[in-house]
Amino acid sequence: MRYNYTKIAYLKFYVFINVLLFFCSAIPVLADNFIKTVLVYYVTSINVAEIPKLAKYDVLVLNRFNYDDVNQQTWQIIKQANPAIKIFIYQLGPQTSDNQDNFKTVYLNSISRYKNARNHSMGVITDDFFLKDSTGKRINNPAYPKYWLLDFGNTAFQKYWAESTETDIITMPWKADGIMIDNCMAANARYLTNPIGGGNIPIKYPNAASWNNAMNNFVAAVVSYLHNSGIKVFTNRCNSRDEAGYDAWRALDISSGAPDIIMEEGAFAVQWGYGDVQFYGEKEWKRQIDLGQQIKNSKIAYLSHTDLTPDGSGIDNFGKQVTYWQILWYSMCSYHLAKNEKNMPFFMFVNNPYKQIAWFTEYEKIDLGAPSGNYKITSSAEANIYWREFEKGYVYVNPSLKDAVNINLPVPCVQLTHENLDLNPKSLPVIQKINIPSHHGVIVMKASALS
C-alpha cells in the first residue's frame, strides 16, 4: 500500500494547529492588566510554540511576511487566542532602499520603487522626492547606507507613500489592524551637529524646527489617509527627552492627524551609549514622564532596554554598578508615573530589541489599581523622589545620582520586589519607611489593601 505522505503531514499539522488553538483559548486575556504591553518583534519566522506567548501582549508589531508562518493564518491564530490584541505591520517611513526593487512585495520593509514603479500610478520615485544636502547630493542614512531619505514635507510624496503602502499592505492578505511607520523621527536639539542617522543636513530642513514641522505634516497626512481606509497607525518618533522633540510630539498631538500610537524607542533607560545601560539626566527623564500627561489623542508606547541579560549585572553610564532587574523596575516604575489614566500607554522592556519575546512575572502579578491623581515630588537631603499613589499602593522613582534613605510612606505598606512576587503579600513585613537608591524604582502595596 502506498501512503500519501504529503496528506499525512498536512493532517498531522492540522491536528497540531487545532490542539494549539485549544490551549491558546485557555490563555487569560489581560484586558485590564495594570501594565499595558507592546512587543515589537522583527524575526525571520514565527514558530507555532511562540503563539501563546505572543498572544499575551496588548499590541504586536510584526513583519508582513510573518503572516504565512503558521498555516498561512498567523494573525488569525494569534487573535483566536487573544481577540483584543492589535497587530501592526512594519513599514519604513520616508526612506527607500536601492536594493529591494526585485523583492517580492511580501518581503519589502519600505515602499521600495527606487527604479521599479510596481505599477504605482505616479511611476518610480522621482529625483524631486529625495532629500538633498546643500551640494544637491542625495542624503542616505549612514547606519544603513542602502537607504535614502525622502522628502516627507512634499505633499506629492506624501500621496506617493500612502498609495504605495495601500497597494503593498492594505490590499494584501497580510493586512492587519494597522501599520507601524518607522523613522518618523522628531528632530532634537543636537540636530545641527548630528541630524537623523548622522548624515548630511537637508537643505530644505536645516534646523530642528523646520524638520519637525515637515515631519509632523507627513505623519498627519498619511495618518488621515490610512484612517480613511480603516487602518490604525503606530509611528516611531523618539527624542521626547529633548525640548525640540517634546514640542514636536505635542504639536502633532493637537493636529488633525494624530496617530493611534506613538513610540518612544528610547524611554527612561536605554542600551545606547556608554555602559550596559544609559540613565538620562533628571530633566530629560522628567520630560518623558510629563509627556504621558500631555499627549491626549495618541497612546504612547514606551520602550526601555539594556545590554544585560536577566539576572545579569554591569555598569551604567555613570560607572556605577547596575543589575538587570534594577533597570526593569526603574523603567517600569517610570512608566507608571507617566500613565495617563484616560489614555493608557504601553510598555516594553528587552535586552535584545526586536528579536526577543520578553514577558515578566511583573506583568501579571502587580496590580495597584487606578491612580489617584498625578505624581508628586518629595525632596530629600540628596535627591528628588517622584512618587504616585494608586488605589492599592504607591510607586516611587529616584532618577538622581544620589541615594535617598528613610523616605516616609503615607501609610503602612509591604514592598514588592522581583524576588518576592510569587509570595503571598500578607507574608511580607509591614514597613513605614523605604530606601530608594540612585536610579531605582520601588513599588509598595498598602497593608490595608492586602487580600
Side-chain angles (χ1 to χ4, degrees):
M1 181 177 180
R2 298 181 63 185
Y3 293 94
N4 186 332
Y5 289 102
T6 301
K7 186 174 182 179
I8 291 172
Y10 175 79
L11 288 173
K12 287 182 177 179
F13 185 74
Y14 177 81
V15 171
F16 181 66
I17 286 294
N18 280 276
V19 171
L20 173 68
L21 291 177
F22 172 78
F23 285 108
C24 283
S25 65
I27 295 174
V29 177
L30 306 176
D32 297 319
N33 49 327
F34 187 58
I35 300 177
K36 298 293 184 181
T37 55
V38 59
L39 179 67
V40 182
Y41 196 46
Y42 304 146
V43 291
T44 303
S45 64
I46 293 172
N47 63 61
V48 174
E50 292 176 318
I51 297 296
K53 301 174 187 176
L54 294 174
K56 289 185 175 185
Y57 290 88
D58 296 289
V59 172
L60 287 178
V61 178
L62 303 170
N63 288 310
R64 66 185 77 173
F65 52 77
N66 292 133
Y67 94 102
D68 201 28
D69 290 340
V70 184
N71 202 29
Q72 296 186 333
Q73 52 179 334
T74 308
W75 306 169
Q76 296 92 320
I77 292 173
I78 292 173
K79 282 179 170 288
Q80 185 161 341
N82 179 1
I85 199 170
K86 300 300 180 186
I87 299 175
F88 291 78
I89 306 305
Y90 179 92
Q91 174 81 319
L92 189 59
Q95 294 186 29
T96 191
S97 66
D98 61 20
N99 63 346
Q100 294 185 0
D101 278 347
N102 294 324
F103 285 17
K104 291 182 178 180
T105 303
V106 70
Y107 295 116
L108 295 178
N109 62 6
S110 71
I111 61 172
S112 186
R113 295 173 173 81
Y114 192 78
K115 291 184 178 179
N116 179 357
R118 297 181 181 270
N119 297 317
H120 198 291
S121 68
M122 298 167 68
V124 299
I125 297 175
T126 66
D127 186 60
D128 290 343
F129 285 170
F130 287 88
L131 274 186
K132 298 170 185 175
D133 63 19
S134 59
T135 69
K137 181 181 177 181
R138 293 179 180 179
I139 301 174
N140 73 342
N141 185 336
Y144 302 94
K146 291 292 185 179
Y147 287 82
W148 301 85
L149 276 64
L150 300 171
D151 186 3
F152 40 84
N154 184 322
T155 55
F157 168 71
Q158 293 166 7
K159 294 177 182 177
Y160 188 98
W161 187 96
E163 181 184 325
S164 301
T165 299
E166 180 175 36
T167 301
D168 295 348
I169 300 179
I170 300 175
T171 64
M172 293 294 185
W174 44 84
K175 171 187 174 182
D177 297 294
I179 293 171
M180 188 278 202
I181 311 174
D182 198 8
N183 283 21
C184 297
M185 313 299 277
N188 58 31
R190 298 175 294 279
Y191 176 84
L192 290 176
T193 56
N194 184 29
I196 305 302
N200 294 337
I201 296 172
I203 191 169
K204 285 188 69 174
Y205 313 120
N207 51 51
S210 57
W211 174 286
N212 286 333
N213 183 62
M215 184 62 80
N216 281 1
N217 187 272
F218 168 79
V219 173
V222 300
V223 164
S224 296
Y225 185 97
L226 294 173
H227 277 178
N228 286 338
S229 299
I231 299 297
K232 295 182 180 297
V233 182
F234 183 136
T235 58
N236 184 15
R237 294 281 282 163
C238 291
N239 292 321
S240 63
R241 65 189 175 104
D242 292 282
E243 186 175 2
Y246 179 89
D247 290 342
W249 277 61
R250 294 183 63 191
L252 179 62
D253 188 61
I254 61 174
S255 74
S256 59
D260 299 276
I261 304 173
I262 304 179
M263 183 166 78
E264 175 46 83
E265 194 174 16
F268 315 132
V270 298
Q271 67 178 141
W272 310 325
Y274 175 78
D276 296 297
V277 67
Q278 177 189 172
F279 294 114
Y280 299 139
E282 182 177 343
K283 185 175 182 180
E284 292 181 321
W285 170 87
K286 184 177 182 298
R287 195 172 279 130
Q288 292 188 328
I289 298 296
D290 290 341
L291 195 68
Q293 301 299 320
Q294 294 294 326
I295 299 301
K296 305 295 185 183
N297 298 308
S298 303
K299 294 180 182 293
I300 300 176
Y302 288 108
L303 275 62
S304 303
H305 29 84
T306 174
D307 284 335
L308 298 175
T309 55
D311 295 321
S313 62
I315 60 169
D316 65 19
N317 54 310
F318 299 104
K320 301 177 69 172
Q321 289 292 313
V322 68
T323 70
Y324 179 89
W325 300 114
Q326 172 193 337
I327 301 164
L328 168 61
W329 277 64
Y330 177 84
S331 302
M332 180 179 67
C333 290
S334 298
Y335 157 83
H336 290 312
L337 295 182
K339 279 182 180 178
N340 180 334
E341 185 180 2
K342 295 181 179 179
N343 202 10
M344 194 70 74
F346 303 99
F347 179 70
M348 172 176 162
F349 185 84
V350 287
N351 70 293
N352 185 9
Y354 317 137
K355 301 290 185 183
Q356 179 187 61
I357 301 175
W359 186 265
F360 303 102
T361 304
E362 283 80 352
Y363 293 171
E364 298 185 41
K365 292 295 184 73
I366 297 176
D367 183 2
L368 300 182
S372 303
N374 204 347
Y375 71 77
K376 299 177 182 178
I377 303 174
T378 295
S379 296
S380 72
E382 299 291 342
N384 288 328
I385 301 301
Y386 295 72
W387 61 281
R388 191 177 192 184
E389 181 179 6
F390 291 81
E391 271 183 289
K392 304 175 188 177
Y394 302 87
V395 172
Y396 291 82
V397 178
N398 179 356
S400 78
L401 285 170
K402 301 292 185 178
D403 298 340
V405 298
N406 291 325
I407 302 298
N408 290 314
L409 298 172
V411 297
C413 294
V414 300
Q415 183 173 346
L416 303 182
T417 67
H418 174 72
E419 291 73 22
N420 69 20
L421 286 179
D422 287 327
L423 300 177
N424 184 336
K426 285 185 176 181
S427 68
L428 302 176
V430 176
I431 57 175
Q432 292 190 295
K433 293 178 181 289
I434 53 170
N435 298 328
I436 312 175
S438 167
H439 295 123
H440 276 66
V442 171
I443 294 178
V444 294
M445 288 192 70
K446 298 174 182 177
S448 60
L450 299 180
S451 56

